[in-house]
Amino acid sequence: MFTQLLGFNTNKCNGCSKRCILDAQPHKRKKDRFIPTIDNKPFGFYCDKNKKRHNLRPYATKFSAIDMARTIARCCPRYNPIRSTVTATEPQQCTGCDIRCKITSTETPNGFMPTIQKTVIYTFLNQYNIAETVFPRPTPNYAQESGLRIAKRCDFYKKHR
């Protein structure tokens, strides 16, 4: 069952119940550069698990700054990742949770669309919480591959239910 109601696997930290927003803001002096933010708090440096300080440089794109915010969030003392115990993979089936949604394709007049558990996917939220439109694919295999990538954005992907 593909769902994104909770916003897991987007630009929110999943390490604790606080669910901090990972984002970026323009640098004060270099307007074309960005610095990572977590819950609107900018970071110029962070300390890793070994208490080693890392100074951050301004990033050229907002998305690379958000990726760094995700790295910083993993160093938070409250961060406690939940790891999946799924080991086997089967083709055309999501392995992110115990439901194991079937990933197929549906033919439309313009091509093939990815289908997750009988739901045709037209839009989804990417890892930066930006809505992406899914365009028809020329082959069923290509649509299924897209469905496998989209399934990784599901709220339950690699989480215990």
Side-chain angles (χ1 to χ4, degrees), residues 1-160:
M1 164 174 80
F2 180 77
T3 178
Q4 290 188 314
L5 296 175
L6 301 175
F8 291 145
N9 301 316
T10 58
N11 70 330
K12 295 180 183 173
C13 177
N14 300 324
C16 71
S17 60
K18 191 173 176 191
R19 307 260 302 135
C20 296
I21 303 290
L22 310 175
D23 204 0
Q25 70 182 29
H27 192 270
K28 289 182 180 178
R29 284 181 249 136
K30 299 177 183 177
K31 297 296 181 191
D32 61 335
R33 300 291 178 152
F34 295 89
I35 55 174
T37 64
I38 299 176
D39 274 351
N40 291 322
K41 179 184 174 196
F43 283 83
F45 71 92
Y46 74 99
C47 294
D48 62 16
K49 298 287 184 186
N50 299 323
K51 307 293 186 216
K52 182 178 177 187
R53 181 184 165 123
H54 297 273
N55 291 323
L56 300 177
R57 57 176 172 65
Y59 291 88
T61 66
K62 180 177 182 176
F63 300 124
S64 57
I66 293 172
D67 289 339
M68 178 46 77
R70 188 170 283 110
T71 301
I72 295 168
R74 289 186 186 117
C75 296
C76 176
R78 290 186 303 263
Y79 189 82
N80 184 16
I82 300 171
R83 293 190 171 86
S84 176
T85 59
V86 176
T87 56
T89 59
E90 296 179 28
Q92 302 163 356
Q93 204 169 32
C94 179
T95 59
C97 70
D98 294 335
I99 295 174
R100 296 202 182 267
C101 295
K102 282 189 174 184
I103 299 175
T104 59
S105 62
T106 302
E107 190 170 4
T108 63
N110 298 328
F112 295 90
M113 294 294 290
T115 306
I116 301 175
Q117 204 73 352
K118 298 182 181 180
T119 302
V120 179
I121 307 298
Y122 294 102
T123 61
F124 69 98
L125 297 175
N126 67 12
Q127 64 193 17
Y128 304 108
N129 206 28
I130 296 173
E132 282 191 28
T133 302
V134 180
F135 296 102
R137 308 296 189 203
T139 65
N141 290 340
Y142 187 26
Q144 287 175 352
E145 289 174 13
S146 297
L148 287 170
R149 285 193 299 275
I150 293 168
K152 292 180 180 178
R153 304 278 71 91
C154 177
D155 288 339
F156 300 112
Y157 189 79
K158 301 290 182 186
K159 306 284 185 270
H160 293 290

